[in-house]
Amino acid sequence: MRRWASDLARANRGTFDSGAWSMAGHGVVVEHDDLDEIRELMPDVARDGGLVLSIVEREAVGGGFESWMDSIPEGTPTLIYLEPGRWVGTADDDEQVLPPEPTHDEAMAYGFRATLAKFMDSALRELPVVLVTVLQSFRQLDPLLRREGRFDRRVKLPRSSDEVLGKVFLQETGASVFDESLSAQPSRLGAVLRAEFRDSRRRSLLRQALRRRAWREGRPVGLADLVEFAVYGTGDEDEKAHTVDERWPAAVHEAGHALVGWLDSRDRVPPVYVSVTDRGGYLGIVVPPYDAHEQITDNRTRLDVVHEIRVRLAGRAAEHLILGADRTSARGSLCDFESASSLACDLLGRWGHAPEVESDLEASSNLAVVIGKPTASEYAHVETMLRGFLQAQFLWVLDLLRANQATLERIAQALASRGVLFQHELEDLKDAGRKIAA
């Protein structure tokens, strides 16, 4: 960002030089995850480059091209920030074309891009004006505008570390609002923010919700409060009342997810939050650690995918073990099984992994992947592997839960009684019994 501002200042020296302005770039895309944060930096960039800043809001970009260009004083070096919206197009390697029966919005957006492209090829080259927008990826911009002389400069900003993100949030919110579970672990705070509160707008709402809770309850807020807002949002909502007996089946189910997610994970760290309270449309929910390997890795292995499948199967497996096969929920595992089946289909049908990989022969038995629409024989082949693979994983999960049944029951009983368990409470339940089996 500093290099770009320096180039703008260099182009802005003395009389207008079209070559210098071309080098600085008449069209710029800034890449960053937090679009609001970068917009807030535009006044600094304009100031450092010696330019006047003009901000065009999303709803005005496509509909008022002539008006916002005519509003620029002639000869005044200007940085025009275009709020991203439908006008940028969609992520595609091909230029966007109008569909046979375009909607009004599609026709307007396409017409604007065409007009803007012509303007950048002609009049803009002779003006001390820079157009800039902010996107998560340069590839989100229609290739029609990704050409020399148009948006031909990309400024990609590095992603802040979780620790930096957490420290900034602590400072902006006020350190006195937080207890040590957050103030002493800014990287943990940053991991939650990155996963659940991705932009400045969401984080500003979270800041106010945390301050409000600290004020209302007369105490500093901590990780438990943060995770609750991450799960259910920052609004106020009362949970629906349920008795311990009514919660019991859901508690068994969620305890299974929680325990397998804990014991089978790379880090072997318990979930940060497990709930069977009736809020936000969820009766049961398990939140794994936001900074766990499985959550932050950019390159998932076969083992990572198998872990995800096992966790999804664990709810039904826990019900089977504790409640008995006839008393498992008829529909309660539908979403779990859909997700497990989808992951297994990708693993076996698209990515060329075999159901068993203990030997070289087994590992190399399924290298021909499905390309395009599967044939009847390919579909049958994958389906046969899929059913056997999921059965084997279910039995593996059942064995793990059976070996740790006492811990599973303690978690389920505590969950049914309290409604919510946090990470430290899960650890206490483990320590209360015998050593967990590997």
Side-chain angles (χ1 to χ4, degrees):
M1 189 73 85
R2 287 192 296 269
R3 180 182 299 173
W4 175 38
S6 176
D7 286 350
L8 290 174
R10 183 176 180 180
N12 197 23
R13 293 174 186 167
T15 58
F16 175 76
D17 180 342
S18 60
W21 281 92
S22 176
M23 289 299 97
H26 282 292
V28 179
V29 173
V30 180
E31 287 186 330
H32 195 62
D33 290 339
D34 190 339
L35 308 189
D36 292 339
E37 180 181 335
I38 301 305
R39 171 175 168 155
E40 292 170 3
L41 291 178
M42 288 299 109
D44 296 332
V45 174
R47 183 198 64 227
D48 293 345
L51 284 75
V52 172
L53 176 64
S54 175
I55 294 179
V56 184
E57 301 294 342
R58 179 181 294 108
E59 59 274 11
V61 174
F65 180 84
E66 293 81 6
S67 63
W68 54 256
M69 283 304 304
D70 290 344
S71 66
I72 301 171
E74 185 175 352
T76 301
T78 305
L79 180 69
I80 301 178
Y81 174 78
L82 304 177
E83 183 79 12
R86 185 185 293 273
W87 69 268
V88 304
T90 57
D92 201 329
D93 285 334
D94 299 320
E95 290 183 8
Q96 303 298 301
V97 296
L98 278 175
E101 297 182 5
T103 65
H104 175 73
D105 287 345
E106 288 172 337
M108 290 285 290
Y110 180 83
F112 172 75
R113 290 196 295 273
T115 301
L116 182 59
K118 291 178 181 178
F119 172 75
M120 297 183 82
D121 287 343
S122 54
L124 187 60
R125 298 190 180 192
E126 302 305 319
L127 296 174
V129 173
V130 177
L131 306 180
V132 59
T133 193
V134 181
L135 299 170
Q136 291 181 331
S137 169
F138 187 68
R139 296 175 67 86
Q140 291 175 271
L141 186 66
D142 188 335
L144 174 69
L145 298 176
R146 280 190 269 147
R147 292 187 180 182
E148 181 182 356
R150 299 177 188 175
F151 284 89
D152 58 10
R153 182 160 190 173
R154 172 169 51 164
V155 177
K156 188 171 184 177
L157 300 185
R159 191 174 76 168
S160 300
S161 68
D162 288 346
E163 183 172 8
V164 168
L165 193 62
K167 285 181 177 179
V168 170
F169 187 83
L170 287 168
Q171 183 178 15
E172 291 176 341
T173 308
S176 62
V177 174
F178 302 97
D179 66 20
E180 288 191 358
S181 67
L182 289 177
S183 62
Q185 301 184 74
S187 61
R188 170 178 272 187
L189 169 60
V192 180
L193 295 175
R194 191 179 305 284
E196 303 292 350
F197 302 92
R198 296 182 180 86
D199 55 50
S200 299
R201 180 188 64 81
R202 291 184 178 94
R203 290 199 284 273
S204 68
L205 292 173
L206 175 64
R207 276 196 297 273
Q208 188 66 358
L210 290 168
R211 290 187 188 119
R212 185 172 289 126
R213 176 167 289 188
W215 168 75
R216 181 192 301 130
E217 300 184 8
R219 63 173 178 85
V221 294
L223 181 62
D225 302 286
L226 176 65
V227 172
E228 183 182 338
F229 285 134
V231 173
Y232 300 113
T234 54
D236 293 319
E237 179 186 2
D238 293 329
E239 66 180 79
K240 298 176 182 177
H242 289 283
T243 66
V244 173
D245 288 342
E246 288 172 334
R247 284 176 173 170
W248 176 243
V252 171
H253 185 99
E254 299 306 325
H257 286 311
L259 193 55
V260 172
W262 176 1
L263 302 185
D264 189 49
S265 67
R266 293 275 192 101
D267 305 322
R268 290 181 66 84
V269 175
V272 294
Y273 183 87
V274 185
S275 169
V276 289
T277 58
D278 196 348
R279 288 181 58 190
Y282 302 104
L283 179 56
I285 191 166
V286 175
V287 181
Y290 286 98
D291 54 354
H293 165 82
E294 290 83 5
Q295 299 293 100
I296 64 175
T297 180
D298 291 327
N299 183 23
R300 292 192 303 169
T301 65
R302 181 185 187 278
L303 186 63
D304 295 328
V305 177
V306 171
H307 169 73
E308 289 187 58
I309 292 170
R310 289 170 174 172
V311 172
R312 283 156 175 76
L313 298 176
R316 169 68 69 81
E319 290 184 46
H320 178 87
L321 182 62
I322 303 299
L323 305 179
D326 287 337
R327 294 189 178 275
T328 58
S329 173
R331 296 184 299 172
S333 296
L334 174 60
C335 291
D336 293 334
F337 287 174
E338 287 179 341
S339 180
S341 298
S342 178
L343 285 168
C345 276
D346 285 339
L347 189 71
L348 305 176
R350 295 181 57 201
W351 303 333
H353 291 276
E356 299 292 338
V357 293
E358 296 299 320
S359 69
D360 295 343
L361 188 63
E362 289 173 330
S364 61
S365 65
N366 188 46
L367 301 179
V369 299
V370 175
I371 300 173
K373 186 176 181 180
T375 64
S377 61
E378 286 173 330
Y379 187 88
H381 172 67
V382 173
E383 184 180 29
T384 299
M385 285 194 299
L386 176 66
R387 292 184 183 280
F389 175 74
L390 290 177
Q391 180 184 35
Q393 296 307 317
F394 182 86
L395 293 173
W396 187 96
V397 168
L398 199 56
D399 285 343
L400 180 65
L401 292 177
R402 188 173 282 116
N404 294 279
Q405 186 166 343
T407 303
L408 175 67
E409 291 178 353
R410 280 197 299 275
I411 293 174
Q413 289 163 0
L415 195 54
S417 175
R418 305 176 203 174
V420 171
L421 293 175
F422 293 96
Q423 190 174 70
H424 68 279
E425 294 174 306
L426 291 167
E427 291 171 336
D428 290 344
L429 290 168
K430 177 199 73 172
D431 294 338
R434 70 179 192 278
K435 184 178 179 181
I436 282 186

